[in-house]
Amino acid sequence: MTSREQRIADFIEAFRVEPGSKVKLGRDFDPAFRGTIKSKKEGRRLLAGGIELLAEYQSRLYAQHTHGVLVVLQALDAGGKDGTIRHVMTGVNPQGVAVHGFKVPSSAELDHDYLWRYGLQLPRRGEIGIFNRSHYEEVLVVRVHPELLERQNLPGNARGHGLWKRRFHEINEWERTLSRNGFKIVKLFLNLSKEEQRTRFLRRIDLPDHNWKFSSADVREREYWDDYQRAFSKMLSNTSTEWAPWYVIPADRKWYARIASGAVIAHALMELDPRFPTIDSDARQALLEIKKTLEAQSPKGAAADPFLAG
Ligand code: ATP
Ligand code: MG
């Protein structure tokens, strides 16, 4: 590991939810944490470095075409998911990235099992897929609002006692299958404080250009704050696994959340360590034969191989 890679690995350790540990959000994670990074300016420099690294790894991931990466983003409203995606993915080739947002399921989606619509949007090999909200809504919003579960038309044996534990288990197994088959899952929870959410809602009201972002539904959801904190804590306690651990990203400072998210994604790519494909000596020999033919076609006055000559 290079020293840059080691620094990234050390930096993200504080955000990782140890598999099997019992998380209580309010007690265990501080939304305003910023560790040793002193200023926004220093943060910006780090983010630029991280973005460069990400772009470099992504081009290798794309060329190698063996692994895919799924970034799962969860947050409370105004948690900064959109901004994180925009900033962290700036340097990467759009051809290798796909972002999918998940809203309230349609009736066609509700006609399938609860994981179906997420499976349809998984990244291909070589791609980084981003889920803006994800299958975790199925143990978050659906848990906080039991009437949503009613709409899922579940048979008797899939409801009732033990439902959430079972979903946690099913999600873990689904992710295990994906990860064993080449798809790395990076799970980020943007952890916002209640006071910072209030500030961001007010900002959306105060700035006319931001009014479109304001939704009174978000303010109604805020009334369920404690229920959400409990649901997130249970999700983190039950679905952080060796193959797909959760990272709790301090989100009260947007700039910090972006660096931290970028670092976790870069780290996942470092672990995959994709390489540009190389060819064997027979294939190389065949290329050299083709090269001879192309060189023989050089028009008068042109170099046999303008690339080497240039
Ligand atoms: P924005 O930043 O644009 O507000 P958003 O992700 O909040 O993005 P919205 O259209 O505001 O998008 O909200 C989507 C809503 O869909 C959220 O309230 C979310 O909880 C809800 N939702 C997502 N998945 C499910 C699901 N499986 N069941 C029920 N509701 C869901
Ligand atoms: Mg919203």
Side-chain angles (χ1 to χ4, degrees):
M1 220 190 277
T2 67
S3 67
R4 181 162 73 164
E5 290 174 350
Q6 187 62 53
R7 269 206 320 277
I8 291 179
D10 294 343
F11 173 56
I12 68 168
E13 200 43 44
F15 315 134
R16 185 170 184 269
V17 176
E18 188 57 29
S21 65
K22 197 162 185 327
V23 175
K24 221 173 149 206
L25 263 185
R27 179 195 65 191
D28 298 336
F29 291 96
D30 174 11
F33 178 83
R34 66 163 161 185
T36 55
I37 302 178
K38 291 285 169 287
S39 65
K40 200 167 164 174
K41 194 166 155 216
E42 185 187 348
R44 225 182 269 131
R45 220 182 31 246
L46 284 169
L47 183 60
I51 286 171
E52 206 177 291
L53 192 70
L54 257 180
E56 189 183 306
Y57 273 110
Q58 188 228 6
S59 58
R60 285 195 251 153
L61 182 81
Y62 188 76
Q64 190 188 38
H65 212 79
T66 305
H67 296 278
V69 175
L70 172 64
V71 178
V72 168
L73 263 181
Q74 286 293 155
L76 279 154
D77 295 305
K81 291 181 280 109
D82 293 350
T84 301
I85 296 171
R86 198 167 59 242
H87 282 81
V88 172
M89 304 313 284
T90 39
V92 304
N93 177 358
Q95 189 141 243
V97 186
V99 185
H100 292 281
F102 293 96
K103 314 272 180 189
V104 179
S106 67
S107 57
E109 288 171 334
L110 288 171
D111 278 344
H112 294 269
D113 71 273
Y114 73 97
L115 288 175
W116 179 78
R117 66 173 184 155
Y118 308 98
L120 290 181
Q121 308 297 348
L122 288 170
R124 299 157 200 229
R125 297 190 199 281
E127 239 179 29
I128 301 178
I130 302 177
F131 279 4
N132 183 349
R133 299 187 186 270
S134 68
H135 47 297
Y136 283 101
E137 292 292 327
E138 304 291 340
V139 293
L140 293 168
V141 68
V142 179
R143 188 170 194 169
V144 171
H145 297 286
E147 65 276 14
L148 293 173
L149 193 62
E150 280 307 306
R151 294 185 58 212
Q152 296 195 349
N153 303 314
L154 299 175
N157 64 357
R159 315 182 196 202
H161 187 70
L163 170 84
W164 306 112
K165 280 267 178 222
R166 214 160 46 235
R167 283 201 172 183
F168 290 144
H169 178 72
E170 287 160 0
I171 288 172
N172 288 341
E173 289 306 311
W174 189 60
E175 293 180 351
R176 189 193 336 234
T177 305
L178 292 172
S179 79
R180 279 186 178 153
N181 285 279
F183 297 90
K184 184 134 190 123
I185 302 168
V186 181
K187 302 191 297 205
L188 305 175
F189 167 56
L190 303 182
N191 187 27
L192 187 71
S193 69
K194 195 172 185 189
E195 178 54 11
E196 179 61 20
Q197 188 193 54
R198 190 174 75 93
T199 310
R200 291 188 189 175
F201 283 165
L202 285 168
R203 185 168 184 272
R204 289 176 179 186
I205 294 172
D206 293 339
L207 299 175
D209 283 358
H210 288 67
N211 285 175
W212 65 274
K213 270 197 195 174
F214 183 80
S215 138
S216 48
D218 291 355
V219 176
R220 278 199 301 279
E221 260 341 74
R222 179 176 163 83
E223 288 173 23
Y224 297 91
W225 181 272
D226 293 340
D227 295 338
Y228 272 109
Q229 293 290 300
R230 269 193 295 276
F232 275 116
S233 298
K234 288 183 179 147
M235 174 197 81
L236 294 166
S237 307
N238 286 280
T239 59
S240 199
T241 53
E242 290 298 340
W243 55 91
W246 272 105
Y247 289 87
V248 178
I249 305 295
D252 273 7
R253 293 183 179 85
K254 288 181 180 173
W255 60 267
Y256 190 86
R258 287 164 192 167
I259 305 168
S261 303
V264 175
I265 301 170
H267 180 259
L269 282 158
M270 272 162 42
E271 281 190 331
L272 285 179
D273 196 20
R275 304 288 171 102
F276 287 116
T278 52
I279 58 177
D280 63 23
S281 61
D282 284 353
R284 178 76 195 149
Q285 205 49 50
L287 283 187
L288 293 177
E289 289 303 318
I290 295 171
K291 179 178 160 80
K292 272 189 210 146
T293 316
L294 288 171
E295 282 176 341
Q297 293 171 9
S298 64
K300 224 187 173 105
D305 184 340
F307 175 73
L308 285 184

